[in-house]
């Protein structure tokens, strides 16, 4: 289940950089990452963070603000995806044996304060619905206002979509297709299925 098990390339070096940051700078960086993930800001000003790091760190190799921000974004986004509590986040960080206690305290505190709002935002933004079922029926249009003997076949598709997984609410969408449209739709589904099999 570990959120850090699929960490991106360069993550370990970024964690080493984060461990060098003073708590105040790390907290400020975490707050900006949280605001970014909550869509309150459109970007994180990396240059400002880099300048602050350069002024406060006495290390020979000054940590990269961009690497730190990327790693923090990964941690917070992964924790939101797995809906972890702040205790679980801190346990995961400790278990990895890469994070120092100071960084764990700051990240845990920020997650405790802001984690639930990140989870809520991520669910709202990424919730496009989940297909629960698809039903179809074949029909024949016998006539219309302009034609007495229409006798045209059609297919009605009814999609049931789960709009809220927690509440279990669903919504139905229906479309009516001519035979040609239905055959095109069927061909596209077969192409998608074959692509998924080869992926």
């Amino acid at each position: 289940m570990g959120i850090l098990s699929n960490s991106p390339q360069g993550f370990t070096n970024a964690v080493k950089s984060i461990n060098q940051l003073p708590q105040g700078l790390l907290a400020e960086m975490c707050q900006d990452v949280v605001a970014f993930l909550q869509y309150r800001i459109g970007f994180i000003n990396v240059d400002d963070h880099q300048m602050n790091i350069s002024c406060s760190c006495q290390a020979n190799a000054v940590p990269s603000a961009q690497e730190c921000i990327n790693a923090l974004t990964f941690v917070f986004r992964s924790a939101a995806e797995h809906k972890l509590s702040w205790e679980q986040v801190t346990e995961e960080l400790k278990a990895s044996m890469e994070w120092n206690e100071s960084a764990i305290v700051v990240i845990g505190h920020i997650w405790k304060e802001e984690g639930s709002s990140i989870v809520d935002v991520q669910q709202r933004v990424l919730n496009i619905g989940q297909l629960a079922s698809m039903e179809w029926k074949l029909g024949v249009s016998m006539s219309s206002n302009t034609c007495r003997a229409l006798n045209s076949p059609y297919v009605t598709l009814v999609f049931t979509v789960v709009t809220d997984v927690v509440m279990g609410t669903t919504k139905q969408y229906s479309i009516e297709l001519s035979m040609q449209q239905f055959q095109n739709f069927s061909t596209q589904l077969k192409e998608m299925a074959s692509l998924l099999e080869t992926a």
Side-chain angles (χ1 to χ4, degrees), residues 9 29-30 45-46 48 53 59 63 74 76 88 95 99 104 106 109 111 123 127 134 148 162 165 168 183 188:
Q9 186 175 3
M29 195 177 282
C30 287
N45 192 332
V46 178
D48 284 353
I53 291 171
F74 172 77
F76 288 134
Q88 291 171 312
W99 300 81
I104 292 171
V106 171
H109 176 74
W111 186 255
Q123 284 181 328
N127 187 10
M134 181 180 84
R148 283 186 181 250
V162 177
V165 177
Q183 287 169 348
Q188 289 174 350

Side-chain angles (χ1 to χ4, degrees), residues 113-152:
E113 298 295 319
E114 303 286 348
S116 62
S117 65
I118 296 173
V119 171
D120 291 344
V121 167
Q122 297 293 317
Q123 284 181 328
R124 279 197 312 270
V125 170
L126 300 176
N127 187 10
I128 56 172
Q130 185 178 20
L131 183 64
S133 69
M134 181 180 84
E135 299 173 15
W136 64 276
K137 64 179 176 180
L138 181 63
V140 177
S141 297
M142 301 305 287
S143 64
S144 72
N145 291 344
T146 58
C147 183
R148 283 186 181 250
L150 187 59
N151 297 331
S152 175

